[in-house]
Amino acid sequence: QVQLVESGGGLVQPGGSLRLSCTASGSIFSIYAMGWYRQAPRKQRELVAVITSGGSTNYADSVKGRFTISRDNAKKTVYLQMNSLKSEDTAVYYCNAARTPAVGPTITHWGQGTQVTVSS
């Protein structure tokens, strides 16, 4: 079992920066792919960025060049550095941990979410 706790959200002006953190407990962190998703009001949850257990990354087109995902396996923590924030980045950001065992479906875990509001 994996428990995920996000932190670092808040209110920031357009063009500003925030760094989100997600710390895991309860299982082997390094084998999980870690991702950040977001959900804005009246919209579906969408993938923002993902980093595999091997360190490969992928980003939504809307955040490429502005957001950076990274992980520290020793600290069991994944980060999302968000720069040049825009009003459309306003959403609840969720941390996700996923792994696909040799047999059976993919196992996923979610954090409780942290609010990011970009507004002047």
Side-chain angles (χ1 to χ4, degrees):
Q1 190 71 10
V2 174
Q3 294 82 43
L4 303 173
V5 179
E6 301 105 331
S7 61
L11 173 64
V12 64
Q13 292 186 341
S17 298
L18 281 176
R19 189 176 80 156
L20 305 183
S21 300
C22 171
T23 300
S25 62
S27 188
I28 304 173
F29 176 82
S30 61
I31 67 173
Y32 283 82
M34 301 298 299
W36 287 97
Y37 290 71
R38 67 186 181 187
Q39 188 166 18
R42 298 174 297 280
K43 291 188 177 181
Q44 289 189 333
R45 191 173 297 188
E46 63 175 359
L47 175 68
V48 176
V50 63
I51 184 166
T52 68
S53 58
S56 299
T57 59
N58 197 25
Y59 298 90
D61 287 343
S62 59
V63 307
K64 281 181 181 176
R66 300 189 298 121
F67 292 10
T68 302
I69 189 171
S70 61
R71 65 190 296 162
D72 185 333
N73 289 337
K75 294 182 178 180
K76 296 186 178 181
T77 300
V78 62
Y79 304 98
L80 185 68
Q81 178 66 44
M82 305 185 293
N83 299 327
S84 302
L85 283 160
K86 306 174 181 179
S87 58
E88 51 263 44
D89 295 317
T90 296
V92 178
Y93 284 69
Y94 296 90
C95 179
N96 171 272
R99 69 178 181 94
T100 301
V103 177
T106 297
I107 299 169
T108 62
H109 304 276
W110 292 94
Q112 82 286 353
T114 185
Q115 176 71 47
V116 171
T117 302
V118 184
S119 175
S120 56

